[in-house]
Amino acid sequence: MSQQVFITGAASGIGLAMASAFVAEGAKVTLLDRDSDRVEAARADLAKEAGAAVWAMTADVAEAAEMTQAIAAAARAMEGLDVVIANAGIGLTKPFLETTPEAFAAVHAVNIRGVFHTIWAGAREMIARGQAGSLLVNASVTGLRPSTERAAYGSSKAAAINLAQVAAIELAPQGLRVNAICPGPVATPLTEVMHDGPTRQEWETRVPMQRYGTPEEIADLAVFLASPRASYINGQAIAVDGGWTIAGLMPQR
Ligand code: NAD
């Protein structure tokens, strides 16, 4: 039976690449985004693939009621739900002392409260339907290793990893696995805005593979983690980062 996949932030970047990868696997896919025009355009584009079954929804992941309704509607449309991906996120590059309480709260509203709403409502829907499955959180390497100017972003991603791991422990007896994906730098509209020239150069110097990743390289891990081939992988935070998190001294000569 084909998988029934729900992805947030699916109108752009990594979420869109994930949607495309699942469609290529023959899955039914619901795309959710707060940008109604772009999510509908993404749906229309993906629907061109032969045999594709794709739905689009507009909601804000920071709003719990909107997410509960959207997930229930997605499960009805797809006649089930066995993969839920909390991917939507926003960035902020600001020194600690210049991070306002309002900006901190805005980043956490999407990157951690939004993740909670997604996997909480998703898991409840899956359990109510008696379906086993896989939940994924798209976190970041900045949730594994603190970086400068990431007070709001990095702390939200560290919290998202911890939340995925708490859920992994609690939901395992119900047949649900929960894992976090931790991308390094990936070429998407988010990094176009978030990474200035010096930041880009710093990543390219410090990533042992000396390049940004592609959205497709992150999507491939999502497809694997959601598949039966990953049936004993639970509660992990897996970096897809060209080796950045494990690199020690790398003198540039
Ligand atoms: P992107 O900006 O290209 O796409 C993010 C999508 O999420 C957009 O379509 C946006 O409209 C949507 N979105 C934002 N806030 C939303 C909300 N409140 N409700 C619903 N949808 C919302 O970004 P991306 O680079 O593809 O990032 C996707 C995820 O990957 C994010 O969680 C990001 O933090 C994470 N990530 C990205 C990188 C990278 O280098 N690009 C690295 C590590 C982690």
Side-chain angles (χ1 to χ4, degrees), residues 9 12 14 33-34 60-61 87 138-139 153 157 184 186 188 190-191:
S12 170
I14 296 170
D33 206 281
R34 68 177 171 188
D60 181 347
V61 295
N87 164 76
N138 196 9
Y153 186 75
K157 294 299 188 179
V186 180
T188 70
L190 181 98
T191 47

Side-chain angles (χ1 to χ4, degrees), residues 4 28-30 53-57 70-80 129:
Q4 302 125 341
K28 297 178 182 176
V29 180
T30 300
V54 194
W55 291 261
M57 291 181 180
I71 283 172
R76 275 197 305 276
M78 297 190 290
E79 299 176 321
R129 288 175 172 268

